Amino acid sequence: MKHFYCLSFVLLSVLLAGCGKDDAGAGATIPDPAGLTARATQRGIRIEWQAVAGVDGYMVQSGYDGELFGNISTTGATSYTDNRDHSSAGETPVRVYYRVLSLRNGPDGTLFSAGNSVTSCLWSGFADDPDLPDDPSGGTGDGSESLPATPEGLSARLSGGSVQLSWRAVPDADRYRVYRSAESGSGYVQLTSVAGTSAADASPRQGLNYYRVTACRGSAESEPSDWVRVEVSDAADEPAELTAPTGVRAVQSGNAITVSWNAVPGAARYQVWNVRPAPYDIETFETISAPATSADFEWSRMVDGTYTFWVVAADADYNLSEPSARVTCSFRSSGSGSGGGTLEKLDTPTGLEAYSRPTDSFVQISFEEVTLAYRYELYRSRSASGSYSRITAVSGTSGGRGVLVDQNPLSGTSYYKVKAVALDYLGIEDSDLSDWVRVIR
């Protein structure tokens, strides 16, 4: 069986976040906010700017080198507090760069300003330093008073002595707080604050541990989720450690590369990691379920050059082994088959599903992700066969599917379609619009 790898939307967004400069240039007629400043406060980095007349809001972006920027928030206010932990970017103190783009919604989509004004601030960690000014927003974004929705789907599992927690994303939430208690009804203490939809308790108590999660947006915090319980027993009950896979080989087979390895006792699945030649030279992996000990790799674009592979074993609780030794395979195209062909246009997104309750202030559209797509656009119409206009949408992933969120849905019946967009340098056309999905509010 051949395994086709789908380039991760999230990885490409991070790797190529700097492309936002080119995209922003399309709205060069919209002025950038003036007076952009960033300063350290007791609860994070406070970014402020002057209002721009005639715009619908602002996109706040950040980075660590002044060149590559990624989106962190969209707001209608003229200030934002970045309360993320920046220690992962390097040893503290670390300099964080910011820019703010004006945005205007139109019938053909959203236009952005150029984003030429950049400011920065030195982040030295969180501390109640009396020498630092207090944050008027409470250190949590733009001070919005409306409460985010309560997180749903909280689950917990014990793995290797730590508790792994996960939950479903809440639209508009900029972070989540995880609480723990020794009993279900009271005594909850904040354990951590994270930007994603998963967290780990590396030091759970022996015995019963109860967990709840809240969603935060600006200064507003949601009601806590339903609790989940995990019982921690003696470490003697932990599974035996997996050994690293051995005997890894990679050989060309027609227009594919076959990777094989020796079975690892106790393994439930394997992660087969790979690095392809440029321009796709990022580390990615394919999951192969045991007892299989081989896999064929054939991407839609097979590039001549050296491919590198290594294998990691995982047990039923996703405890991972050490990686195997790395092996290489020099691939040469045969000029026939899918490996020698050229992809001219992205596939059309499929499997659209809509989610919106009458009490929700948003509509969520999920879909199957498309190979080589690095972002997606959401289109809306009043009729199934009418004219569809691109709208501003918050993007992400959930449960292995792409997600676009319409934060300003219309009352009544609306129809939505999705388009996949490719990177310009790949020379691939964007996809056609998908089939529609209907929402009645």
Side-chain angles (χ1 to χ4, degrees):
M1 176 179 179
K2 296 184 182 297
H3 296 269
F4 296 88
Y5 170 66
C6 175
L7 283 177
S8 167
F9 166 64
V10 175
L11 285 175
L12 278 174
S13 296
V14 174
L15 182 64
L16 297 159
C19 292
K21 283 191 173 181
D22 295 335
D23 294 341
T29 57
I30 305 175
D32 283 328
L36 180 62
T37 62
R39 59 188 176 91
T41 70
Q42 292 182 11
R43 297 178 177 86
I45 298 177
R46 181 74 170 173
I47 308 105
E48 297 178 330
W49 58 91
Q50 297 175 8
V52 177
V55 302
D56 297 317
Y58 308 93
M59 175 72 77
V60 184
Q61 300 180 330
S62 72
Y64 298 105
D65 60 2
E67 295 292 334
L68 298 177
F69 289 87
N71 300 337
I72 59 173
S73 181
T74 302
T75 179
T78 56
S79 62
Y80 183 82
T81 296
D82 181 3
N83 53 15
R84 298 173 299 161
D85 186 348
H86 297 281
S87 59
S88 61
E91 294 184 0
T92 56
V94 59
R95 183 162 294 279
V96 187
Y97 294 82
Y98 298 93
R99 66 180 186 181
V100 178
L101 282 62
S102 306
L103 65 89
R104 182 184 298 147
N105 298 320
D108 297 324
T110 302
L111 298 178
F112 295 89
S113 65
N116 291 325
S117 179
V118 177
T119 188
S120 68
C121 182
L122 199 62
W123 185 87
S124 300
F126 298 111
D128 290 329
D129 187 343
D131 294 331
L132 289 176
D134 193 12
D135 192 329
S137 74
T140 51
D142 58 11
S144 174
E145 295 299 328
S146 59
L147 295 182
T150 300
E152 297 180 347
L154 177 62
S155 64
R157 60 182 178 85
L158 186 61
S159 176
S162 66
V163 175
Q164 305 294 321
L165 301 159
S166 63
W167 54 92
R168 289 196 290 272
V170 173
D172 295 342
D174 51 44
R175 71 191 191 289
Y176 303 87
R177 291 176 179 169
V178 180
Y179 295 85
R180 184 183 70 184
S181 176
E183 54 187 75
S184 62
S186 62
Y188 285 90
V189 176
Q190 182 174 333
L191 185 66
T192 186
S193 176
V194 297
T197 57
S198 63
D201 181 1
S203 303
R205 299 184 181 93
Q206 289 291 313
L208 294 178
N209 294 264
Y210 293 85
Y211 299 91
R212 299 194 303 192
V213 178
T214 62
C216 299
R217 183 186 66 244
S219 60
E221 183 175 11
S222 75
E223 294 296 320
S225 68
D226 293 337
W227 55 261
V228 293
R229 183 181 66 185
V230 174
E231 184 173 4
V232 178
S233 57
D234 293 335
D237 296 331
E238 295 180 5
E241 186 174 345
L242 295 173
T243 59
T246 60
V248 180
R249 298 177 67 246
V251 295
Q252 181 173 349
S253 177
N255 282 327
I257 297 176
T258 299
V259 181
S260 60
W261 58 92
N262 297 330
V264 174
R269 59 189 62 85
Y270 301 91
Q271 295 177 350
V272 184
W273 288 81
N274 64 82
V275 177
R276 302 164 61 189
Y280 312 100
D281 49 344
I282 58 175
E283 294 186 359
T284 59
F285 71 88
E286 181 80 15
T287 299
I288 307 298
S289 296
T293 56
S294 67
D296 292 341
F297 288 82
E298 183 181 4
W299 291 274
S300 56
R301 276 193 168 187
M302 294 295 288
V303 180
D304 286 2
T306 301
Y307 291 68
T308 303
F309 297 87
W310 64 100
V311 182
V312 175
D315 64 17
D317 290 327
Y318 289 90
N319 297 305
L320 302 179
S321 74
E322 292 296 319
S324 71
R326 298 193 176 202
V327 298
T328 60
C329 177
S330 296
F331 180 86
R332 296 293 179 266
S333 59
S334 65
S336 62
S338 60
T342 300
L343 183 64
E344 297 181 352
K345 189 173 187 177
L346 290 180
D347 293 336
T348 303
T350 60
L352 267 66
E353 295 180 359
Y355 173 80
S356 181
R357 297 175 300 189
T359 57
D360 291 335
S361 60
F362 63 91
V363 170
Q364 177 176 292
I365 308 298
S366 66
F367 49 89
E368 297 295 333
E369 293 188 301
V370 174
T371 301
L372 292 182
Y374 93 102
R375 65 180 176 87
Y376 300 89
E377 297 174 348
L378 186 62
Y379 290 76
R380 185 177 65 195
S381 175
R382 277 299 194 182
S383 65
S385 58
S387 176
Y388 285 80
S389 298
R390 181 186 169 192
I391 62 173
T392 301
V394 176
S395 62
T397 58
S398 178
R401 289 166 57 85
V403 173
L404 291 171
V405 178
D406 179 4
Q407 299 175 288
N408 298 291
L410 304 175
S411 298
T413 302
S414 297
Y415 296 81
Y416 293 89
K417 292 185 176 183
V418 175
K419 176 190 283 187
V421 179
L423 291 166
D424 291 339
Y425 77 83
L426 294 179
I428 305 173
E429 293 184 26
D430 298 342
S431 77
D432 295 328
L433 288 177
S434 67
D435 291 336
W436 55 262
V437 64
R438 182 177 63 182
V439 173
I440 301 175
R441 293 177 54 82

